[in-house]
Amino acid sequence: MTANFFWKILNGSFRFFNLLKDWTLKIFVTGAAGFIGMHCSERLLDRGDKVIGIDNLSDYYDVNLKQARLARLRPNNNFAFHQMSIESRDEMATLFA
């Protein structure tokens, strides 16, 4: 595959991806309280998608910063947050039940 192929996908020039832009999707975002997860969630919510965000809110870095990011997402009715670890099989099974 060439780099041109990937650019076509990213630019949404394939018919399939153009169809998806009009759909409302339910998307699962891990690390939703992190920098990348929060920004991805915001973009998806702005598109009108529903976002299920999970994060274990570990203290690897400032938990208050993570809480502040979640505060930006929580007002959106299409955002649901679950504080849990993806390493927990039981919690994940409950979420997908």
Side-chain angles (χ1 to χ4, degrees), residues 28-54:
F28 184 73
V29 176
T30 59
F35 180 82
I36 295 170
M38 188 271 300
H39 283 90
C40 287
S41 295
E42 278 186 333
R43 288 283 182 110
L44 294 166
L45 292 167
D46 288 345
R47 274 183 12 154
D49 294 319
K50 296 179 183 196
V51 174
I52 300 167
I54 70 163

Side-chain angles (χ1 to χ4, degrees), residues 1-95:
M1 293 187 196
T2 65
N4 190 30
F5 174 79
F6 291 108
W7 279 113
K8 285 182 180 179
I9 290 174
L10 291 174
N11 290 326
S13 61
F14 284 173
R15 195 175 281 161
F16 176 74
F17 291 100
N18 284 331
L19 287 173
L20 285 181
K21 72 179 182 181
D22 295 327
W23 291 5
T24 299
L25 304 174
K26 186 183 284 188
I27 301 173
F28 184 73
V29 176
T30 59
F35 180 82
I36 295 170
M38 188 271 300
H39 283 90
C40 287
S41 295
E42 278 186 333
R43 288 283 182 110
L44 294 166
L45 292 167
D46 288 345
R47 274 183 12 154
D49 294 319
K50 296 179 183 196
V51 174
I52 300 167
I54 70 163
D55 200 298
N56 64 358
L57 300 180
S58 71
D59 59 358
Y60 182 73
Y61 65 90
D62 189 6
V63 176
N64 292 323
L65 181 57
K66 295 177 183 186
Q67 292 288 0
R69 290 184 183 131
L70 288 173
R72 290 174 56 174
L73 299 171
R74 283 193 167 120
N76 192 311
N77 291 333
N78 285 334
F79 180 74
F81 177 71
H82 300 273
Q83 183 176 347
M84 60 190 290
S85 174
I86 61 171
E87 297 169 336
S88 172
R89 292 181 95 128
D90 293 337
E91 289 180 327
M92 293 299 288
T94 301
L95 181 64

